[in-house]
Amino acid sequence: DRTEGPGVSPGTYYYRTGSTTWTPVSAASFPRDWDDGDTGYYDTLAPPGTSKNVLTIGSCEDVFQTVGSNLLIGFGPTSVVTASSFSGAGPTDDGRIKPDLVAVGSPAQGIRQPLGLMSGSPLSPVITAPNSASNSNYSVGIRGTSFSAPAVTGALGLVMQRRAQLYPTLPASQAWLGSTLKAIAINSCDDVDVEGPDYSKGYGVMNAKKAALAVGADHANGRGSLIKEFGLAPGESESWIVRSDGTQPLAVTGTWSDAPGPALTTITGPDAQNPMLVNNIDLKVEYLGPDTTVFPPPPTALSTFLPWVLNPDLTNESAVIRGAAATRGVDSRNNVEKVSIASPAAGRYRITATHSGGLPGNPAPSTQVLSTALSGVTSELPAISSLVTSPTATEFILSFTADPGAYFTIQSSPDLVTWTDAGNVLAETVTNSVVVTSAVTNNKLFWRMRRGQ
């Protein structure tokens, strides 16, 4: 664990072979990483926190901000976020970004003391546990990721509760995937320090309020407009248009529960660097220009924004390189990709998700469900592209284009005044077709689509 390594190899170490027997092993014959993650404490995460598909939570000290001469608990523009001294840092052995997020798991004594929030105060939010003599006398101060992880779990519980309030009749079969909750958490967290992730605090600090509000924003825009689940086959690409008014940051996060990586049957040294990614999905966001009435928008992008990436420096394991700010680039390591623009220009943006296949030597890629969370944008309206009648004129094939993962209600009207719901449909891809019906007596019928259901 972080800060607990010996620092240098003892030359010979031992492993237990029986209840009372130990067998020596030469450090030269089977090398170990004795440096405990180098001077930056990188590479100090252990399983299962290194797993691809879990949401790995690190610990940070109290988050605070200054407003004028006032010191306030909570995140703000002036906040300083410090990783707890015991919280492990990435990268993983194959260079992936972990932890994904951080939450408060230890008190900052220098902050709580002047605020009168130390243990013993009746209003103290100091992380404490009951002593052995009572279940109501909270007097033992403790700290750890065992507090930050449950905080995030509770926040995601609020997300699930909010969805249940907005959609009380949804069947259990339509519950969000774990990867979708992960996308919501990462997309709505508070980014800290320079823009983009790092290996000690991941993508930032969990923000329970913003995560719950994201569910409400998706509902207001139409189910599946801002929180999506859709499949991509190897080689398949889906693109859709969104609008930004330029007044708030734009963010798109894609996550997926990837298939198991290659089994490592022979390990001859520390830090096996075999990439664990199986389905390599890539995100990009392109700026198409100011919003106009032109439809469809121009195909040529004015600028392209790629996901944030970090350099794990698996060769030299340099703390300086691993501690460098994130840059934008194509990511072929992680099953989390986030594109964020702190100050977007107003106008239209094209989001593209591409299943780029697999990595050489790894298990064969397959169709993968991608969870996507968006913020700071509104989605383009759907467009009915054709309506083909059957010989009896009571069935129609309605084709439309829309953003994948969004739900729509189809309506019909004989007079453009009275509209009747004709059915609900999920846009599984950008181009979709659905069969709709009408009575034979309707010799004139208009059709439209609206977001949500």
Side-chain angles (χ1 to χ4, degrees):
D1 288 345
R2 179 175 172 177
T3 73
E4 293 181 357
V8 295
S9 170
T12 300
Y13 54 95
Y14 300 82
Y15 70 97
R16 192 171 186 175
T17 54
S19 59
T20 59
T21 58
W22 296 80
T23 300
V25 179
S26 168
S29 63
F30 195 91
R32 294 283 195 180
D33 185 354
W34 298 102
D35 291 335
D36 192 25
D38 60 46
T39 55
Y41 300 116
Y42 297 104
D43 188 19
T44 49
L45 280 173
T50 55
S51 301
K52 289 184 294 186
N53 299 331
V54 302
L55 182 62
T56 305
I57 308 301
S59 173
C60 66
E61 294 184 355
D62 283 322
V63 179
F64 63 93
Q65 59 176 312
T66 55
V67 179
S69 59
N70 297 317
L71 187 66
L72 304 175
I73 291 287
F75 186 83
T78 62
S79 292
V80 175
V81 179
T82 303
S84 301
S85 60
F86 52 79
S87 187
T92 62
D93 288 350
D94 65 337
R96 286 176 288 111
I97 297 173
K98 290 288 183 176
D100 297 297
L101 300 169
V102 294
V104 174
S106 59
Q109 307 291 3
I111 300 303
R112 294 199 176 209
Q113 255 178 341
L115 294 177
L117 298 178
M118 296 306 296
S119 181
S121 167
L123 300 179
S124 171
V126 170
I127 299 167
T128 58
N131 62 23
S132 58
S134 170
N135 60 7
S136 60
N137 182 16
Y138 294 86
S139 59
V140 182
I142 49 181
R143 62 192 69 200
T145 52
S146 294
F147 295 97
S148 49
V152 173
T153 302
L156 293 179
L158 295 175
V159 168
M160 297 169 69
Q161 181 186 30
R162 184 59 180 144
R163 187 177 192 241
Q165 291 171 343
L166 295 172
Y167 301 101
T169 61
L170 282 185
S173 61
Q174 294 188 30
W176 274 331
L177 299 172
S179 57
T180 304
L181 294 173
K182 186 175 181 178
I184 295 170
I186 292 175
N187 196 71
S188 61
C189 70
D190 291 319
D191 199 353
V192 298
D193 303 324
V194 296
E195 192 175 8
D198 61 49
Y199 286 125
S200 64
K201 297 181 287 293
Y203 286 89
V205 182
M206 180 71 200
N207 189 319
K209 180 179 179 179
K210 287 173 62 177
L213 288 176
V215 183
D218 180 66
H219 178 266
N221 281 267
R223 182 183 171 201
S225 297
L226 301 178
I227 301 174
K228 302 175 172 293
E229 296 175 347
F230 59 92
L232 288 170
E236 186 179 1
S237 182
E238 298 287 357
S239 298
W240 68 97
I241 307 299
V242 297
R243 287 182 169 93
S244 167
D245 62 9
T247 63
Q248 55 184 316
L250 184 157
V252 181
T253 300
T255 66
W256 61 101
S257 293
D258 198 37
L264 304 182
T265 57
T266 302
I267 301 176
T268 58
D271 302 333
Q273 299 175 9
N274 308 61
M276 292 291 112
L277 192 65
V278 174
N279 293 301
N280 184 17
I281 296 178
D282 291 308
L283 281 183
K284 68 176 179 180
V285 176
E286 299 169 290
Y287 178 57
L288 303 179
D291 195 1
T292 67
T293 57
V294 176
F295 187 86
T300 303
L302 300 181
S303 54
T304 299
F305 300 88
L306 296 176
W308 295 109
V309 293
L310 294 171
N311 185 350
D313 191 23
L314 299 180
T315 301
N316 298 312
E317 300 182 353
S318 164
V320 174
I321 294 177
R322 289 174 166 180
T327 58
R328 298 186 188 273
V330 177
D331 190 340
S332 297
R333 298 182 187 274
N334 297 276
N335 60 329
V336 174
E337 296 204 0
K338 182 174 184 177
V339 182
S340 62
I341 308 171
S343 300
R348 280 176 169 168
Y349 290 80
R350 179 169 53 228
I351 301 172
T352 301
T354 302
H355 193 322
S356 300
L359 303 182
N362 275 16
S366 58
T367 298
Q368 176 67 61
V369 176
L370 176 68
S371 298
T372 310
L374 299 84
S375 58
V377 298
T378 56
S379 296
E380 191 92 312
L381 295 174
I384 297 176
S385 53
S386 67
L387 192 66
V388 180
T389 64
S390 69
T392 63
T394 59
E395 287 188 336
F396 303 82
I397 298 178
L398 185 151
S399 299
F400 68 96
T401 58
D403 46 309
Y407 291 81
F408 300 92
T409 299
I410 301 173
Q411 297 178 318
S412 63
S413 172
D415 54 11
L416 292 177
V417 176
T418 303
W419 291 91
T420 303
D421 289 352
N424 300 317
V425 62
L426 165 64
E428 297 184 355
T429 62
V430 171
T431 57
N432 307 268
S433 294
V434 62
V435 175
V436 294
T437 61
S438 68
V440 179
T441 55
N442 288 327
N443 56 11
K444 179 178 65 178
L445 206 60
F446 300 93
W447 297 87
R448 72 180 185 184
M449 298 178 66
R450 66 172 178 81
R451 286 190 173 273
Q453 68 176 56

